[in-house]
Amino acid sequence: MDIDLRDAARGSSAFTGGLLTVLLSPSEHTLEQCVAALAEQGVRAWTQPLEALAGEEVVVAGVPSDQAPTMDALGEVRHRVLAVLDAAGIDVDVHGVGYLDHDQAQAQAHALPG
């Protein structure tokens, strides 16, 4: 399975417009440096508080997908996101993977600055 890290026009399935997500914290770099490294490679990324970490800010990397959020797809996205950050020399701790449906992804896009 090959998942494109860049935004692209998608077809129309029940999952169109969704994002497979990876929640992470950089070990030695800032959140902003991590977001910038991901964005440079076409990966949507933003910061948000994570309740499981007492509200600590984490980076969320979101990869568009029109496929069901299977464990294989989430594992592939995790691997690809980590490869991008590794190539940029950024070590991270992964806190989990997940999925935002179309409406959640649109709300997040509208909440992003710029």
Side-chain angles (χ1 to χ4, degrees):
M1 170 180 6
D2 192 28
I3 297 174
D4 186 2
L5 291 178
R6 299 189 176 271
D7 287 336
R10 302 291 180 188
S12 58
S13 77
F15 300 100
T16 298
L19 293 174
L20 301 175
T21 60
V22 183
L23 308 174
L24 37 90
S25 297
S27 301
E28 297 180 12
H29 291 78
T30 67
L31 295 171
E32 292 76 17
Q33 288 170 317
C34 188
V35 167
L38 290 164
E40 186 175 293
Q41 294 302 313
V43 179
R44 286 190 209 174
W46 63 92
T47 61
Q48 72 180 44
L50 185 61
E51 288 181 32
L53 293 176
E56 179 182 326
E57 289 279 319
V58 297
V59 173
V60 180
V63 177
S65 176
D66 59 0
Q67 304 288 322
T70 65
M71 291 306 293
D72 286 344
L74 290 167
E76 177 71 14
V77 165
R78 180 183 188 277
H79 174 76
R80 293 270 182 119
V81 165
L82 292 177
V84 166
L85 293 171
D86 187 50
I90 298 176
D91 292 322
V92 295
D93 296 321
V94 176
H95 300 291
V97 294
Y99 176 75
L100 297 177
D101 66 24
H102 175 268
D103 293 340
Q104 294 166 322
Q106 288 301 313
Q108 184 57 45
H110 292 297
L112 293 175

